[in-house]
Amino acid sequence: MLDTRELGRRPGVQREVSLSVPAPADLGIEVLRVREGAPVEIDLRLEAVLEGVLVTGSAEAELSGECARCLEPISDAIEVRFQELFLYDDQALSEEDDEVSMLEDDLLDLEPLLRDAVVLALPFRPLCRDDCPGLCPECGARLADDPDHAHEAAIDPRWASLATLQQDPQQED
Ligand SMILES: [Zn+2]
Ligand SMILES: [Zn+2]
């Protein structure tokens, strides 16, 4: 929680803040995320406006995850930018709106904003490299390590059972 009371609710007053916070749990997606507790470096500009505080900022963190094709570990970094208007919670709102970010007693909860920005910036299918060839469908070997990898043509199990049927004498009638 960030305290915005220093701005005194005076429109036009600004403050720059830099902070390093430990990453909350589940910051990212299943296959690519900021490890819980890893530092997230945040730079913010807080600006008082008439109805609340405008937050503009960026965040940087290390990512870890795994390749969607070959499951190799991936290390990467992410930098996201965000901007959001947080309304004072004693503003008379005509109707409740869940989409609006609110200050609570002039304290600002940055976590939902950070979480949305990080998730939006991540690829759905992270890869160790753009042309990752993935795994061998037969033995699971990592094809990037062994590009000439090949197998003897194996008998498809469905054909194998047909072959057994054909040898069954009862099928000959
Ligand atoms: Zn890969
Ligand atoms: Zn193989």
Side-chain angles (χ1 to χ4, degrees), residues 136 138-141 149 151:
C136 169
E138 278 186 48
C139 71
H149 189 89
H151 289 269

Side-chain angles (χ1 to χ4, degrees), residues 93-151:
L93 287 177
S94 50
E95 56 195 83
E96 286 291 314
D97 188 348
D98 292 341
E99 300 296 305
V100 172
S101 297
M102 303 286 285
L103 296 166
E104 286 170 44
D105 294 329
D106 292 8
L107 298 177
L108 189 156
D109 182 6
L110 205 57
E111 192 181 314
L113 185 56
L114 179 66
R115 200 178 280 284
D116 286 356
V118 167
V119 170
L120 276 176
L122 295 177
F124 284 115
R125 284 171 54 80
L127 298 176
C128 59
R129 57 181 223 215
D130 287 344
D131 60 348
C132 172
L135 301 177
C136 169
E138 278 186 48
C139 71
R142 188 170 178 257
L143 295 176
D145 296 335
D146 192 0
D148 299 325
H149 189 89
H151 289 269

